[in-house]
Amino acid sequence: MKKLLLLGILFFQLFIVSCHKNQADEINGEMTPIKFISSNLTFTDTGNSVYLTNISADGGEYMMETTNYPSWYIYPISEKKDGDSQTINFEGFTYEYESDWYNLKIPSNKPTNLNISIESNPSKNSRELKIGITNGATFMSLTIIQAGKEIT
């Protein structure tokens, strides 16, 4: 009977320890938002959304890096250009996407990076790209607004 009681106590302790939440990854019971750094972008971080509004009509090559998770992947993308909107959904993990005006890539040798290539905007209207990013438990939205070309 004592062996059974000791075994029960041992299993109870293992259960308690295995159910303990990792407080380093949580704030107030929620997963910590993905944190970003970039050497060539200025952005506004509002917790679960990041806004990049200083992308010129000329486009360019940009890189965002997460500082608090070992990897991430792309989930739905929505884009607006010339009055049209579209959403691109993915099945499973997506680490790369190419469109007619932008390319997104999370390199396999550096899974904390998101490389963003944006083509020149020939229109006078701005374009908007909203990228969903997740590590599987935390979801973020990255919104990029590219200026329209100045018509003189």
Side-chain angles (χ1 to χ4, degrees), residues 80-91:
K80 294 178 189 173
K81 68 174 187 172
D82 298 325
D84 294 327
S85 296
Q86 106 171 345
T87 300
I88 299 106
N89 291 303
F90 304 106
E91 289 186 29

Side-chain angles (χ1 to χ4, degrees), residues 128-139:
E128 181 178 310
L129 173 62
K130 187 177 273 189
I131 307 164
I133 297 171
T134 183
N135 70 348
T138 301
F139 299 87

Side-chain angles (χ1 to χ4, degrees), residues 24-56:
D25 289 338
E26 296 182 314
I27 298 175
N28 299 326
E30 295 183 16
M31 294 299 292
T32 303
I34 298 171
K35 301 289 184 200
F36 297 102
I37 59 171
S38 178
S39 60
N40 64 347
L41 284 170
T42 303
F43 56 89
T44 304
D45 188 342
T46 63
N48 287 332
S49 297
V50 173
Y51 297 91
L52 301 131
T53 57
N54 61 333
I55 305 297
S56 79

Side-chain angles (χ1 to χ4, degrees), residues 17-137:
V17 170
S18 68
C19 292
H20 180 72
K21 294 180 180 179
N22 183 354
Q23 293 177 352
D25 289 338
E26 296 182 314
I27 298 175
N28 299 326
E30 295 183 16
M31 294 299 292
T32 303
I34 298 171
K35 301 289 184 200
F36 297 102
I37 59 171
S38 178
S39 60
N40 64 347
L41 284 170
T42 303
F43 56 89
T44 304
D45 188 342
T46 63
N48 287 332
S49 297
V50 173
Y51 297 91
L52 301 131
T53 57
N54 61 333
I55 305 297
S56 79
D58 295 332
E61 302 286 325
Y62 308 96
M63 190 274 296
M64 302 273 308
E65 183 176 2
T66 179
T67 59
N68 61 336
Y69 288 100
S71 64
W72 52 0
Y73 60 95
I74 302 164
Y75 74 105
I77 297 171
S78 65
E79 57 182 56
K80 294 178 189 173
K81 68 174 187 172
D82 298 325
D84 294 327
S85 296
Q86 106 171 345
T87 300
I88 299 106
N89 291 303
F90 304 106
E91 289 186 29
F93 301 110
T94 301
Y95 300 97
E96 192 169 352
Y97 183 76
E98 191 172 320
S99 88
D100 62 336
W101 64 278
Y102 63 89
N103 296 322
L104 307 171
K105 183 173 184 171
I106 297 171
S108 59
N109 64 338
K110 187 83 166 141
T112 57
N113 286 7
L114 172 62
N115 298 328
I116 306 165
S117 176
I118 299 179
E119 298 293 325
S120 167
N121 186 357
S123 171
K124 66 178 182 173
N125 301 317
S126 63
R127 304 192 278 203
E128 181 178 310
L129 173 62
K130 187 177 273 189
I131 307 164
I133 297 171
T134 183
N135 70 348

